Amino acid sequence: VLGNRSAGKEGVWLAGAARKAGATVRLVAAHMDVPAPAGGDGLTVETALELREAMLAAAVDSDVVIMAAAVADFRPAEISGTKIKKRDDTADPVISLVRNPDILQELVELRDHAPERQAIRRSQLIVGFAAETGDGQGDVLSYAEAKLRRKGCDLLVVNHVGADKVFGQDSNSVVILARSGAEPQLAAGSKTEVSVAVITRVGYELNHVSPRA
Ligand code: CTP
């Protein structure tokens, strides 16, 4: 398995916060270290390609799409249905990777090109997440701003990640960037509190920011 250490907590707490705020929620999840919130629609997937299928279907009639999943950027080019045996007469295997589709970017493109009759989709609010680290070429925020422009989503929730940060932990601090150019918003606290802050911001955007359609 090629994976990462994301525990799925952020997505589960966002789903819980959205439900508490009165939304009808569909949670599409892969690996989770915590139980899904009770009483909602849910779907479990195993691979990035399955996640893509599920998200494309769920997004058709959703007012808001939140992509909190830590999607693997690559997948093995070939999958073996049988055990790969070691052999003395051939070289050891090399795992080649191919790029996974960018689901968030595809959802934005579908929204932006939706026909007029798809009113819900045309005014859909799309929220991305970004796990960033700074380096010699740029800081976390400059990378995040470039990602927001590249992905074209309406809001980008930016986590600063490092070896001991974010993945699997219960507290968090994020910056919410908006495509509209609004001032970056800081939200810190437990992941539950941060999730409530993100959902509150989503509510604000839905009610106060002019529809995209
Ligand atoms: N995402 C996605 N599909 C992918 C990869 C990422 O939909 N194949 C989404 C994530 O769910 C998240 C956002 O894109 O909402 C940013 O994910 P991130 O891993 O930070 O960015 P990448 O696009 O993978 O860019 P990079 O790894 O180059 O920073």
Side-chain angles (χ1 to χ4, degrees), residues 48-49 51-56 59 64-73 100-113 121 124-132 144-158 177 179:
L49 295 182
L51 179 65
R52 173 181 174 273
E53 288 292 309
M55 289 309 297
L56 293 187
V64 181
V65 177
I66 302 179
M67 278 295 299
V71 188
D73 287 327
N100 273 326
D102 190 316
I103 304 166
L104 178 61
Q105 216 163 9
E106 200 172 341
L107 289 167
V108 169
E109 275 158 26
L110 286 168
R111 188 268 314 272
D112 290 350
H113 297 106
R121 174 151 244 176
Q124 194 169 65
L125 185 85
I126 303 183
V127 183
F129 272 67
E132 293 294 346
E145 276 160 2
K147 188 170 283 183
L148 175 67
R149 284 193 295 275
R150 199 167 68 240
K151 303 261 181 183
C153 52
D154 303 290
L155 297 176
L156 189 73
V157 182
V158 185
L177 301 181
R179 194 169 64 148

